[in-house]
Amino acid sequence: MRFMVIMKASEESEANSVPTTEMLTEMGKFNEELVKAGVMLAGEGLLPSSEGARVRFAGNTEPTVIDGPFAESKELVAGFWILQVKSKEEVIEWVKRVPNTDGAHHEIEIRRIAEAEDFGDNLTPELREAEEKLRAEAAKNA
């Protein structure tokens, strides 16, 4: 099963402070362990919300675009991994090992990624086939 591991933002990450060489080295080693164990499918760090935007939808009105930064840093995402593991317990064990060299990682959220089976009969064979084709096309863009 696949999980998204969401690194919450901190005041430091929102301040656009560049990670130290020590922090980058520790995170690189951790990512290398994930890759060697065959569990890491993807992982990226995100720039501060000051370089982002939100698009808000409300009823039938045109979406509203709100430029960052956004105030509540603990609700923001600073990075993520996509891990493929056997259980939630396994992903939790990996997350417990995330380097916290600077002490700034206050919270990491783990969410299971929905698989086709999670949609039951609502995902018809035709919709499943269309989804699989779309994923194959998207993989070519990676």
Side-chain angles (χ1 to χ4, degrees):
M1 54 184 61
R2 294 177 303 151
F3 287 88
M4 176 174 255
V5 176
I6 304 163
M7 177 86 68
K8 297 291 183 111
S10 64
E11 289 181 22
E12 293 82 2
S13 66
E14 280 296 293
N16 201 17
S17 58
V18 176
T20 65
T21 300
E22 179 186 15
M23 290 167 27
L24 292 170
T25 300
E26 291 295 316
M27 194 60 77
K29 287 179 183 175
F30 178 68
N31 288 337
E32 188 174 330
E33 285 183 54
L34 292 169
V35 170
K36 285 183 177 176
V39 300
M40 184 172 162
L41 301 179
E44 301 290 344
L46 303 176
L47 293 176
S49 67
S50 60
E51 298 195 31
R54 289 180 174 162
V55 179
R56 183 168 290 154
F57 298 85
N60 293 329
T61 61
E62 286 293 316
T64 305
V65 177
I66 306 159
D67 288 324
F70 306 111
E72 195 62 38
S73 66
K74 69 180 182 182
E75 299 299 325
L76 300 173
V77 177
F80 69 91
W81 290 272
I82 303 289
L83 303 181
Q84 186 161 348
V85 294
K86 293 179 182 155
S87 66
K88 185 168 87 174
E89 291 74 22
E90 183 180 353
V91 75
I92 289 170
E93 289 305 314
W94 277 109
V95 169
K96 286 179 176 177
R97 297 172 54 191
V98 170
N100 193 17
T101 308
D102 63 349
H105 304 319
H106 306 296
E107 189 171 82
I108 296 175
E109 185 173 330
I110 300 168
R111 304 276 301 271
R112 191 169 71 83
I113 295 174
E115 303 292 348
E117 298 75 34
D118 294 311
F119 297 105
D121 293 337
N122 290 342
L123 187 66
T124 65
E126 295 80 18
L127 289 173
R128 182 184 293 249
E129 183 180 339
E131 178 70 18
E132 288 170 0
K133 284 182 181 175
L134 190 62
R135 287 178 184 268
E137 281 297 313
K140 292 177 186 175
N141 296 333

